[in-house]
Amino acid sequence: MTTRRLMMQATVALAAIAAVTVPTGSAQAQKRGGEIVMAQQAQPPTIDGMTTTAQATRNISLHIWEMIVTRDENANVIGDLATAWTISPDGLTYTFTLREARFHNGKMMTSADAKASLERYGKVGGSPFMRPVKDMTTPDPRTLVITLSNPVPGFLEQLSSPRAPAVVIPAEEAGKAANQIENIGTGPYRFVEFRPDSHVKLARFDGYIQNTQGTGRDGFGGKKTAWVDTITIRFVPEGGARTAGLQSGEFQVLEQMPTPTAKRLANDRTITTHEMMPWAFQVFIFNAAQAPTNNPKVRQAIQAAIDPEEVMAISTDGSYRLLHGWQYPGTPYFQGDLGKENYNQKNAAKAKALLAEAGYKGEELLILTDSSFKNHNDTAITIGEQLKAIGMKVNVRVVDWPTALSSTTKKEGWNAWPLMMGIEPYEGPYNVVSFFAGANARMQVQDPVIDAANQTLTTALGLAERQAAFGQFQKQMMEQAYVIKVGEVGIFQATRANVKGYKPYRIPRLWDVWVE
Amino acid sequence: MADFAPAQLNEAGSLPAERFGMLKRFMANRSFVIGGALFLFVVMVALLADVIAPFDPLRNNFRYRLGPPNAAHLLGTDSFGRDVLSRVLHGSRVSLVIGLLVVILTGLFGTLIGAVSGYVRRLDNLIMRIMDGFMAFPPILLAIAIGAVLGPSLLNAVIALTVAYTPRTARIVRASVLVVRESEYVEAARALGAGHVRILFRHILLNSLGPLLVQLTFIFALAILAEAVLSFIGVGPSPPTPTFGNIIADGRNYIAEAPWITIWPGIAIMVTVLGLNLLGDGLRDVLDPRLRAEAR
Amino acid sequence: MLRYLVNRIASASLVLLVVSLFTFVLIWLVPGDVASQLADPGASVEELQRIRARLNLDQPWHVQLLSWYGNLLRGDLGQSFLLNRSVTEAIIERIPVTLSLTLLALVIAVVLGVSAGIIAAVHHGGWADQSIMALALVGLSIPDFWLGLVGIYVFAVALGWLPSGGFVPLLQDPVGWARSMALPAFTLGITQVGLIARITRSSMLDVLGQDYVRTARAKGVPAFKVVAKHAFANALIPVITVTGVIVGVLLGGAVVIEQVFSLPGVGRLIIGAVLRRDYPVIQGGLLLLAFIYVFVNIIVDLLYAYVDPRVRYG
């Protein structure tokens, strides 16, 4: 109650400032005002952005809060609240220069807020990347110095990742437990309300201070402009209901539209569809600790048997591309054709020979999957049918997502598990490799080659060295067939035709978007 | 709707003493005949699914995904390119098996619990309070919660639905036991020195069979409806197993592009449940003359 | 009477104890936890463990059981893991939605069902009777969630007349409320029309067969008047009796309909909590539902005793 009153006072106080900061029109005829209702399938588990790696939260939280460094349109690291930074030659000291920013309660942001936010991240943050941080100091209100205990070449990548975004909150909120903060940020939209199973409402923050370094929207950073008055994010689990709502004009933006619907509506002039390719990896992870998939020959047989095109066509409804690499083309760690000979073989004879060599005698292959993600479910079922065709005994067990996730972190009770990895390849190589390295490697065995590659990747300061390490990882993954990368998944987002300026990205960004 | 069938309004009742001309009375009952025919039709389809289904219900064909009905696929194909007709035909088999198992288990446990509760007075209060505990929620909610715990599989769906519907059956059996227990012929049996077990099974339960049978027919119908709901929520038998509910769940995301996936299994459910409801009406008319007025 | 009341409350408490133990066992047995919701699908094991530690999910079960009962005794049902509010708040804010849906569906079912039942009874044996009774049975056999999907397809997708889902509070926008409720309430209500029609018809037939109605007819009172004045009121009694049962059925159906139409009601709250492993909401929600059920039953029984002097409790 008190906060609401505080917010209202702040809003009143900011009315004057608003008059100054009204963005002046550019070449395009942007229009201020109006509202946007976006429908998304999942409801966010929390609004407290830094505490969760969940996609449904990111979609919302990155409108409210901003990060010190973030990612641009091509996922490279750029400044957001930081305008510049330097890294000491030993790779231990990061010095950030912060820009002017104003919180939704009217308070100006300082380096103390940034420090307090990162300290909170260390306690309740969704990712463990603050662990190597030894010390943080704030020599002046515009400077934040972070000192690491050992060099971590991927530190900026982690700090800038939207995975569980390291957003800056007011220092007064930073002592609070996860999910207990007032949702006050420096972003272009401010939080209004959260009604579970219904919606989240945001309103334009008229006191927003833009990043003047940028020229326009750029990834999660750049110069952001809020045009519409309010944004409502509605949680609509039924796909058909989301589409119907978009068609009737009830919703203006769909975070995701089923591919067949997007194709059907391609000629509908009231709706614009936007393809986002690539969106994620579709992978098929083996449990290398449990028979029969503890035998590399059995895994290689499955690798040889799979027809990735059928799997991808069915699981993505036709929005896919067939690529074997463990990074996207055009990114620094992309490995070209390395390991390609093991991909898309569709070689039943080879598969059967490998099975015979492995001494496979009809042991059951238990594919565990979940009904919460259609792609997972369809991948499991399609691969299951393909493996039956080479004479394997397959049992596809479909459980709910919490069960699948907890079961697949165990060494028994499953042989294979399909997973869409979305944010990890977007972030770069680090969380892709670490997922399969160390004591918690998700194929349930530790592979010395992969562990060594992970070690080099996370400690070597030279880019070439790290790239080579990533190559070793990819080669080992393909040869040992711990995991089959089936292909790359694309998604469709959709907007009403009167929504202008929309560009699909990792999350649907509703700044620099206006309604005609 | 999935929770209620006409017979549940009346929990007590007794079998008519005379059984003479029973068959004749069944055959003269229009509900029984039509319902029986419909149900028999569904049973035959389920039994012959292997023979009459044009395709393997699990066979994917990604080159003809979401295909509209044509000469080869009379009811079109789903998002895996599987033949919807074949899946519906095979789905009837799975759905009927689930219904039948739920009926058998519910009948068994319901009778046991209801009989003990009605006959052994000291346990009555405790047992009925536990049953009340289970009945404090809509059965479908209970089944979903149990289904989530056990994980989706055919057997688990059966267990979940059995737990959900047993308390109601137990209540009905208990009510008839209470009535029959005080009847003259049970008194007579007791006077002749019959043991408790013999009285319970030979005299009391046999005479509670009528209402139980009627109730079980409706539970069969409810179980088929409830299976569809469980699959729809994602806690039913594991896909790709074709069940009516799974096919609808597969089709829900494509309702505008490929409505045939959703529509046909729904109609199949309707036919099956209608058959069972008619059959139940007919059974009640004949077995339970006290209630005959209702379906006049 | 007082002794009866004490007895009822004692056994009600027993029921609630059974329910609370049942839900605890349920949660204890269910695999997976809420960390799966607070993390990206590709989250690392370490990221998952951070979340579990934060929520005390790594505590042994008896500690969790004791702390839950401890809080319960203080009247605290706990805090949702995911909804940013207390369990009590979460449930209270959902009740209007479920109530709107259930009551509207009840009105639809009663109005349509009673009218159909009367028409069928008045034309007893004729084609109207036969087709109404056939339709009633078909209605009882339709899966409601499927009807909802078909309804969305026809009225929201194809025709665009009604919203496809979502809830608009009555006080905020009455027209929006009616539009948002129309399709779900109709879907839910239509499945009970058949039942009410059947009951209305048979009780109407009973009443129409009674001596006083025959007398009225013999005296030359017009058929319409007989039905309206004499038969209708009396025939309604059994319908009113089953209304309680039907409300229960509709509440059960609402669980699924809320899911289909994305309505933020109590059923969706609890199913969502089960599927997302929001333990406090599962425990608190189920207990509160059972509490409401048990005490509504006691009140109904007391009302019966008050209204109907033949019913006496010892």
Side-chain angles (χ1 to χ4, degrees):
Chain A
M1 208 59 183
T2 46
T3 337
R4 195 168 295 159
R5 204 175 303 134
L6 196 73
M7 299 264 280
M8 275 165 68
Q9 286 166 355
T11 315
V12 172
L14 291 168
I17 309 164
V20 186
T21 50
V22 168
T24 45
S26 65
Q28 287 173 288
Q30 286 105 332
K31 195 170 144 257
R32 203 175 136 97
E35 60 163 355
I36 285 183
V37 181
M38 175 174 90
Q40 67 179 38
Q41 176 176 12
Q43 85 162 308
T46 171
I47 305 299
D48 192 349
M50 70 166 73
T51 65
T52 174
T53 49
Q55 160 96 25
T57 298
R58 281 199 284 276
N59 285 352
I60 297 159
S61 64
L62 287 170
H63 289 87
I64 305 173
W65 286 284
E66 294 179 306
M67 305 167 71
I68 297 168
V69 284
T70 190
R71 299 296 182 95
D72 71 6
E73 212 70 19
N74 301 311
N76 300 310
V77 178
I78 53 163
D80 192 358
L81 289 169
T83 51
W85 61 90
T86 57
I87 306 171
S88 64
D90 60 4
L92 290 178
T93 309
Y94 291 67
T95 307
F96 296 93
T97 308
L98 304 178
R99 66 174 167 92
E100 193 175 47
R102 184 185 288 115
F103 283 113
H104 301 154
N105 61 4
K107 192 190 105 159
M108 297 305 286
M109 182 205 70
T110 69
S111 55
D113 298 306
K115 176 171 179 270
S117 301
L118 289 181
E119 280 166 355
R120 181 171 187 263
Y121 197 101
K123 293 187 203 103
V124 301
S127 284
F129 76 81
M130 287 296 287
R131 217 172 4 181
V133 173
K134 194 170 78 183
D135 188 35
M136 284 191 282
T137 55
T138 51
D140 65 66
R142 286 295 175 81
T143 308
L144 172 70
V145 181
I146 300 178
T147 313
L148 308 183
S149 48
N150 54 287
V152 180
F155 184 72
L156 270 187
E157 272 85 352
Q158 309 262 26
L159 183 66
S160 62
S161 171
R163 182 180 183 78
V167 294
V168 174
I169 65 173
E172 303 81 65
E173 298 293 323
K176 296 182 182 170
N179 217 7
Q180 303 291 316
I181 57 168
E182 299 299 334
N183 300 310
I184 299 167
T186 61
Y189 283 89
R190 62 182 172 80
F191 174 80
V192 178
E193 65 173 355
F194 173 26
R195 295 246 160 251
D197 280 353
S198 175
H199 66 273
V200 163
K201 194 167 184 186
L202 310 176
R204 184 180 55 233
F205 173 45
D206 287 325
Y208 178 64
I209 299 180
Q210 291 174 314
N211 178 358
T212 48
Q213 270 194 332
T215 49
R217 173 182 56 199
D218 190 7
F220 297 118
K223 183 181 168 192
K224 302 173 206 167
T225 311
W227 294 107
V228 294
D229 295 338
T230 62
I231 297 172
T232 306
I233 297 113
R234 285 259 307 268
F235 321 128
V236 184
E238 281 302 314
R242 288 198 295 277
T243 306
L246 184 75
Q247 285 182 282
S248 67
E250 204 184 327
F251 309 139
Q252 282 75 47
V253 178
L254 293 195
E255 164 224 34
Q256 194 171 347
M257 171 180 267
T259 305
T261 311
K263 289 183 175 158
R264 174 169 60 90
L265 298 178
N267 297 322
D268 187 329
R269 278 189 302 177
T270 63
I271 285 163
T272 314
T273 56
H274 314 264
E275 188 173 18
M276 171 83 198
M277 174 71 86
W279 168 254
F281 285 180
Q282 179 61 58
V283 302
F284 190 66
I285 302 169
F286 291 112
N287 178 351
Q290 168 136 343
T293 42
N294 58 350
N295 187 334
K297 293 238 179 323
V298 171
R299 301 196 299 267
Q300 285 155 354
I302 296 172
Q303 190 183 35
I306 284 179
D307 174 358
E309 185 169 16
E310 189 191 39
V311 180
M312 296 307 291
I314 289 176
S315 67
T316 66
D317 280 321
S319 177
Y320 64 95
R321 59 188 198 192
L322 297 178
L323 285 171
H324 72 289
W326 282 90
Q327 285 286 286
Y328 293 126
T331 57
Y333 291 83
F334 181 66
Q335 299 291 328
D337 283 346
L338 179 69
K340 196 178 177 185
E341 64 280 4
N342 290 320
Y343 179 69
N344 198 3
Q345 304 174 62
K346 293 186 279 185
N347 189 338
K350 180 183 171 188
K352 284 177 184 164
L354 279 165
L355 281 182
E357 233 181 287
Y360 175 77
K361 292 195 185 57
E363 295 93 334
E364 182 183 89
L365 181 84
L366 176 56
I367 303 178
L368 194 72
T369 189
D370 64 86
S371 49
S372 316
F373 296 86
K374 174 192 146 46
N375 294 61
H376 296 170
N377 178 66
D378 292 7
T379 299
I381 289 171
T382 313
I383 290 182
E385 288 303 308
Q386 291 178 359
L387 298 182
K388 280 180 196 164
I390 59 160
M392 295 193 78
K393 187 175 177 234
V394 181
N395 177 8
V396 178
R397 183 180 295 160
V398 187
V399 294
D400 62 8
W401 172 243
T403 309
L405 187 64
S406 82
S407 307
T408 51
T409 53
K410 298 191 176 87
K411 291 205 186 307
E412 306 87 36
W414 62 285
N415 286 116
W417 172 49
L419 178 70
M420 253 201 306
M421 297 181 81
I423 193 83
E424 291 79 17
Y426 164 91
E427 290 176 288
Y430 301 100
N431 285 325
V432 173
V433 177
S434 69
F435 200 66
F436 303 106
N440 289 322
R442 293 303 264 278
M443 67 281 199
Q444 305 304 332
V445 294
Q446 263 182 285
D447 181 280
V449 176
I450 289 174
D451 283 4
N454 188 42
Q455 176 70 16
T456 311
L457 187 67
T458 50
T459 53
L461 290 177
L463 176 64
E465 214 183 323
R466 297 201 300 268
Q467 285 168 329
F470 189 78
Q472 283 158 12
F473 162 79
Q474 179 162 325
K475 188 161 171 281
Q476 187 73 357
M477 291 290 272
M478 303 301 282
E479 284 176 358
Q480 289 296 313
Y482 288 124
V483 183
I484 294 169
K485 188 191 153 195
V486 191
E488 292 179 0
V489 182
I491 61 162
F492 279 92
Q493 301 181 334
T495 53
R496 297 282 300 175
N498 64 344
V499 173
K500 299 293 180 188
Y502 185 83
K503 199 175 168 207
Y505 192 53
R506 197 68 229 165
I507 69 156
R509 296 161 303 182
L510 299 177
W511 58 84
D512 288 280
V513 169
W514 64 98
V515 184
E516 267 176 7
Chain B
M1 159 203 106
D3 313 321
F4 199 80
Q8 281 171 290
L9 289 178
N10 299 277
E11 298 193 336
S14 61
L15 195 72
E18 96 281 12
R19 302 209 179 121
F20 184 71
M22 190 75 101
L23 187 70
K24 215 168 165 185
R25 276 182 21 221
F26 274 128
M27 294 323 284
N29 183 294
R30 203 167 42 159
S31 293
F32 183 84
V33 172
I34 299 174
L38 270 181
F39 185 63
L40 204 65
F41 167 72
V42 177
V43 170
M44 290 308 287
V45 164
L47 288 175
L48 296 174
D50 282 327
V51 185
I52 51 178
F55 292 90
D56 177 348
L58 300 178
R59 191 89 200 125
N60 300 336
N61 174 11
F62 78 103
R63 287 176 218 290
Y64 198 65
R65 299 174 58 249
L66 305 175
N70 63 15
H73 302 280
L74 289 176
L75 305 184
T77 63
D78 70 4
S79 66
F80 289 79
R82 297 175 299 208
D83 182 52
V84 173
L85 174 63
S86 304
R87 284 184 71 72
V88 172
L89 293 177
H90 279 269
S92 67
R93 176 181 290 188
V94 183
S95 297
L96 282 186
V97 165
I98 290 177
L100 190 66
L101 286 176
V102 170
V103 162
I104 292 172
L105 292 178
T106 308
L108 213 66
F109 290 115
T111 306
L112 205 67
I113 294 171
V116 170
S117 187
Y119 195 73
V120 186
R121 278 195 160 151
R122 260 176 306 164
L123 293 178
D124 189 23
N125 196 33
L126 181 70
I127 293 177
M128 286 333 278
R129 290 301 78 75
I130 293 175
M131 293 298 113
D132 280 350
F134 282 93
M135 286 174 66
F137 318 108
I140 199 70
L141 196 61
L142 194 64
I144 289 168
I146 296 167
V149 171
L150 299 175
S153 82
L154 193 151
L155 205 63
N156 291 343
V158 169
I159 295 173
L161 293 176
T162 303
V163 174
Y165 291 123
T166 295
R168 279 157 178 76
T169 315
R171 270 200 166 188
I172 288 167
V173 173
R174 173 178 171 270
S176 359
V177 168
L178 285 180
V179 172
V180 180
R181 188 176 66 178
E182 307 304 332
S183 67
E184 284 166 12
Y185 58 87
V186 170
E187 291 288 320
R190 210 171 271 146
L192 289 172
H196 284 305
V197 175
R198 190 185 158 81
I199 290 179
L200 192 57
F201 283 91
R202 267 306 296 279
H203 299 282
I204 296 183
L205 281 185
L206 210 59
N207 283 294
S208 314
L209 259 177
L212 182 65
L213 198 63
V214 173
Q215 172 69 8
L216 288 180
T217 313
F218 291 119
I219 284 187
F220 204 142
L222 289 180
I224 284 178
L225 289 169
E227 175 279 315
V229 172
L230 290 190
S231 298
F232 181 73
I233 304 276
V235 294
S238 200
T241 314
T243 73
F244 292 150
N246 275 344
I247 306 170
I248 295 178
D250 280 339
R252 70 205 277 200
N253 286 324
Y254 309 101
I255 184 123
E257 289 79 27
W260 49 86
I261 311 174
T262 309
I263 287 174
W264 291 108
I267 290 174
I269 294 176
M270 219 159 82
V271 170
T272 313
V273 174
L274 182 64
L276 282 164
N277 275 342
L278 281 166
L279 200 62
D281 274 0
L283 278 176
R284 187 185 44 204
D285 291 348
V286 177
L287 294 181
D288 214 345
R290 262 174 19 108
L291 305 172
R292 209 177 300 164
E294 202 154 289
R296 221 169 0 191
Chain C
M1 196 66 177
L2 189 68
R3 214 182 94 206
Y4 168 75
L5 196 65
V6 171
N7 262 337
R8 279 303 296 262
I9 288 174
S11 56
S13 313
L14 189 65
V15 171
L16 293 180
L17 187 70
V18 168
V19 167
S20 68
L21 281 173
F22 169 75
T23 51
F24 194 83
V25 171
L26 198 78
I27 284 163
W28 189 47
L29 289 177
V30 70
D33 59 37
V34 75
S36 61
Q37 306 303 310
L38 286 157
D40 184 79
S44 67
V45 171
E46 190 180 356
E47 286 173 334
L48 294 171
Q49 280 160 354
R50 282 173 74 85
I51 295 168
R52 290 187 188 122
R54 204 173 79 200
L55 296 175
N56 292 327
L57 291 174
D58 44 6
Q59 302 285 319
W61 65 270
H62 59 270
V63 175
Q64 299 193 28
L65 179 70
L66 285 180
S67 92
W68 190 69
Y69 272 118
N71 287 334
L72 185 65
L73 288 179
R74 285 197 298 275
D76 177 7
L77 287 177
Q79 197 77 17
S80 160
F81 287 152
L82 297 172
L83 304 176
N84 210 6
R85 62 225 328 110
S86 75
V87 174
T88 318
E89 263 180 283
I91 292 169
I92 287 173
E93 73 183 1
R94 306 298 182 102
I95 286 176
V97 179
T98 305
L99 222 55
S100 294
L101 177 60
T102 311
L103 292 183
L104 266 181
L106 183 69
V107 170
I108 290 169
V110 168
V111 169
L112 291 182
V114 168
S115 328
I118 290 174
I119 293 170
V122 170
H123 299 94
H124 182 204
W127 65 268
D129 181 22
Q130 307 231 351
S131 34
I132 283 173
M133 282 304 99
L135 272 178
L137 211 58
V138 170
L140 275 171
S141 310
I142 300 176
D144 47 7
F145 74 97
W146 175 80
L147 191 66
L149 290 175
V150 174
I152 289 178
Y153 175 57
V154 174
F155 294 101
V157 179
L159 300 172
W161 290 351
L162 293 167
S164 54
F167 178 72
V168 180
L170 175 62
L171 296 176
Q172 186 185 316
D173 174 4
V175 178
W177 175 82
R179 278 170 51 84
S180 75
M181 279 290 121
L183 209 45
F186 201 75
T187 305
L188 183 58
I190 202 88
T191 56
Q192 294 304 308
V193 169
L195 184 67
I196 295 179
R198 283 161 66 113
I199 292 162
T200 309
R201 174 179 173 274
S202 63
S203 65
M204 274 293 279
L205 288 180
D206 276 346
V207 175
L208 288 175
Q210 304 268 329
D211 288 345
Y212 67 95
V213 176
R214 285 202 199 129
T215 314
R217 271 188 176 159
K219 277 161 119 184
V221 180
F224 170 77
K225 225 175 167 182
V226 172
V227 172
K229 203 173 166 190
H230 298 278
F232 181 65
N234 285 303
L236 223 51
I237 292 170
V239 177
I240 292 166
T241 316
V242 296
T243 300
V245 181
I246 287 174
V247 168
V249 177
L250 290 173
L251 281 171
V255 169
V256 182
I257 293 299
E258 284 168 7
Q259 207 74 11
V260 173
F261 289 96
S262 315
L263 297 172
V266 179
R268 189 154 161 237
L269 176 75
I270 291 175
I271 290 188
V274 170
L275 296 180
R276 292 195 285 248
R277 310 293 192 265
D278 192 347
Y279 299 163
V281 175
I282 307 177
Q283 285 175 309
L286 288 181
L287 190 64
L288 205 62
L289 278 195
F291 180 85
I292 293 170
Y293 169 88
V294 166
F295 280 89
V296 164
N297 266 346
I298 291 181
I299 292 168
V300 167
D301 286 352
L302 290 178
L303 282 179
Y304 265 133
Y306 182 76
V307 172
D308 188 344
R310 282 173 300 177
V311 182
R312 279 280 168 262
Y313 298 108

